[in-house]
Amino acid sequence: MKYPFQEIETKWQKFWEEKKVYKTDLTDKENNLYCLVMFIYPSGAKLHCGHWYNYGPTDSWARLKKLQGYNVFEPMGYDAFGLPAENYAIKTGVHPKESTMKNIADIREMLKRMGTMYDWDAELMTCAPEYYKWNQYLFLQLYKRGLAYRKNAPVNWCSSCQTVLAREQVLGDGNCERCGTTVEQKNLTQWFFKITQYADELLDGLNKIDWPEKTKLMQTNWIGRSYGTEVEFKIEGHDDKLTVFTTRPDTLFGVTYVVLAPEKELVQKITKSEFKIDVDKYIEQTKLLTEVDRTSTVKEKTGVPTGAYAINPVNGERVPIWVADYVLATYGTGYVMAVPAHDERDFLFAKKFELPIRKVILQEGTDVKADLTEAFTEVGTMINSGKYDGINSDDGIEKITEDLAAQGLGRKTKNYRLRDWLISRQRYWGTPIPIIHCEHCREVPVPEEQLPVLLPYEANFKSDGGSPLAGNTNFVNTTCPKCGAPAKRDADTMDTFVDSSWYYLRFLNPNFSEGMFDTKLGNAWTPVDMYVGGAEHATMHLLYARFIHKVLRDIGLVNSDEPFKKLIHQGTITNNGAKMSKSKGNIVNPDDFIVNVGADVFRMYLMFMGPYELGGDWSDKGIVGVDRFVQRVYSMFEANAGIAKQAVLKDKFEIAELAEIEKNIYRKINATLAKVSVEIDHFRFNTAVAALMELINELKGLDECSTELKSYTLERFASMIAPLAPHLGEECWQMIGKENSLFEQPVWFEVDQLALTKENALVVVQINGKMRAKVEVPYNLPEAEVKVAVFEDEKVKLYTDGKQLVKEIYVPNKIYNIVVK
RNA sequence: GCCGAAGUGGCGGAAUUGGUAGACGCGCUGGACUCAAAAUCCAGUGAGGCUCAAACCUCGUGCCGGUUCGAGUCCGGCCUUCGGUACCA
């Protein structure tokens, strides 16, 4: 009979749900294991292939662990705030709350149809007041500690999304991560979280977590710590000083000019009146450029002189001060000493504006007098540097820094590329920022007992700049908690990455009302043992969550340093090489496959396609292979229905007592058992499935086995297939006569190590590195005897007779290599 | 430009520490079953050479070189594709 997947999948889903098989007892900390997949963004009503590819295999991993006896917690929830719902509302008039709730209801059903083992009692959604109340609480804790603050700064503005964006949400091409519109620069007063305060710890903590190296590297680069020196330059005719940051103080004698970022106020102060018109014009021009245009390496250098001069502290030299947009106000001090001879950018700038280029580091093997054709940026010998001449530039960095420090003209320092996290958004569908603006008391935090600040249902989404909430007078108008005078609520909402920065803690008890989360459970269950999600979050969610976890630790709410102990990224499934997306209309709909072959087959096929972390291009070509395999499994169990009841169950066989065909099967089932656990454990699902396919090929001879061995084999087969195809696994287990559900009373079998040892070894004989013969010898036969066997082989004789033996190499039980002349 | 990952049959992909390249699956070819087809089952399937056939030989893991008894795997130099980043002083 054809495998009736429809009926069987429904049957087990119902069973699991009714019996609450996947409800985790979180008070049981014995052998506990937290397996988490990044929660779902309910921007549509459907699960697409990417969701299945992400969730199915992760669930299979969790199921393996459950069968192996771990107390596994695998929750699922909804990252329910965010722009898509609001944009949808603008387009259709359907309120974000309505569309989101509808999507969630649909998605929940689909997730259940996948056959996942989520603990539905732990379900959460970030748009619920019970959840976002604690976002607000978190905000206030950060505010109290000076980690949440407001400042006016140049920020990224997306005119289509009508909101500011964090730097992480702007793509490399300068477009909005969400909608693809070119992002503009605007000066706005915005809320920031002071992630930079944790920069060192975020960097150093990377050594302690088991994450993909490339992800850690991305975070390392993103944080971008560099060690250097701050050097003070006097400004001619001013009391003000100018401090530059440099990683190359050894090149100080090569400074021929100094550059200020156009945004810096100092520019106005020092610019000589006859230069003022040009400088102001230049600053205006700079404002028109997007950050990407401005920071593009291919752009030709621009700049204007200010007419002012700075004094080089090491040699008292007078150097012109310029303004140029290649210097960024947001990095270092916003002032740069320019050393054209030893910095590529300065070199190009100096060439263009005919500023002097003075060589102070000599490249080994070059002439002192030779002109440079490009900047020499490496280590060399210091020249033209007064008392430092002749020393290695690396040592010069230390020496000059020390000398400057001694004179109070400089100091060792570090700098980061990381900037503070901009968290306010001028949008409706998010967590209201719990701040009240009072004319007298300025910004006043909402008292904790007044939380949550509820997001009102009414709002004008079709806003044209400014927050939609600003127009809702019922919401905005309030009284100051401090002085009682009429005041206004902050109308911005929080970046949804705030929601996802701590949700893994809330899952442990989404109904907890005494705090953000239950600290006792948090300490027992986090860090999360296994976290699975897309690599695109490397410098966003995955960095924010680490930051917030550390803050929570410092507040005393958790006792660990890191949120996610082990991290795995699923690959991306593309369609004809392109990322699947609604806008491109190239989404593959899983529904048809679920209807035609069932959830188990579809899940297993996604796993079988290739390595989990690589993803790949979508093709349904091979799905029949997995379907055939499932059919064969089903018929094999059908043919042996009730077998486990007909025999005394053994957990070990004496190999010597088995018939030849039984021996092979006994060996294979044990070898597969060993293989499957290791492969699934490492997220190598493709090879795990392949191993089971190999096994079923071997089981063609099953009919010739004793009833005992048949039961032994099928028990193990059912248990092994269960993580990968859970419905099928349960059904097979029941078919052979088991009374209990596999996942209700987990079973995973021990490997009989004796079955893995071989009687004979096939030794490959190579002559001069070429494979020439194979010799079967007893396993672990002494080398001398192997040699005899090898040289008895006709082909070996053919290739060695009459030749001089130079060397022989024997790799036990594997290779016998003979070198002849 | 810089950083990272990957290039293996017609296709998706296997291959502990260097040790029989191509597991497993798709597709294809032939056969069985069938009136026929589908489904299923069995056999074959990297390329080329030689042969009635088998045996056998040569070449083969992006390209060029190297180390080694032996390289898909290690080293050096390239090429291509995909991610990340982009004047960070």
Side-chain angles (χ1 to χ4, degrees), chain A residues 733-768:
Chain A
W733 188 247
Q734 197 180 61
M735 280 165 89
I736 54 171
K738 300 286 185 180
E739 311 277 343
N740 300 313
S741 139
L742 251 178
F743 289 101
E744 198 174 24
Q745 285 178 32
V747 177
W748 191 259
F749 293 95
E750 288 283 315
V751 176
D752 179 2
Q753 294 298 329
L754 288 175
L756 302 184
T757 60
K758 290 175 195 145
E759 282 173 52
N760 290 323
L762 192 65
V763 173
V764 170
V765 186
Q766 294 184 345
I767 293 159
N768 289 344

Side-chain angles (χ1 to χ4, degrees), chain A residues 37 40 51 64 119 218 386 388 420 616 626 643 670 809:
Chain A
V37 66
I40 189 163
H51 290 122
L64 171 78
D119 180 348
M218 267 195 244
Y388 303 98
D420 279 339
V626 176
I643 193 130
N670 276 289
I809 297 127

Side-chain angles (χ1 to χ4, degrees), chain A residues 251-313:
Chain A
T251 62
L252 255 169
F253 286 84
V255 173
T256 54
Y257 62 104
V258 165
V259 193
L260 314 185
E263 296 89 339
K264 300 297 274 190
E265 275 175 36
L266 190 66
V267 176
Q268 309 299 336
K269 268 192 174 171
I270 62 164
T271 301
K272 290 262 165 31
S273 52
E274 60 267 41
F275 291 84
K276 197 142 184 65
I277 295 169
D278 284 342
V279 167
D280 286 346
K281 212 167 101 193
Y282 183 74
I283 292 171
E284 282 310 308
Q285 278 169 10
T286 307
K287 277 186 190 158
L288 297 175
L289 294 174
T290 67
E291 180 156 23
V292 173
D293 289 338
R294 195 175 143 181
T295 57
S296 160
T297 41
V298 293
K299 177 181 162 265
E300 199 169 332
K301 300 270 174 291
T302 58
V304 285
T306 61
Y309 284 83
I311 309 299
N312 187 335

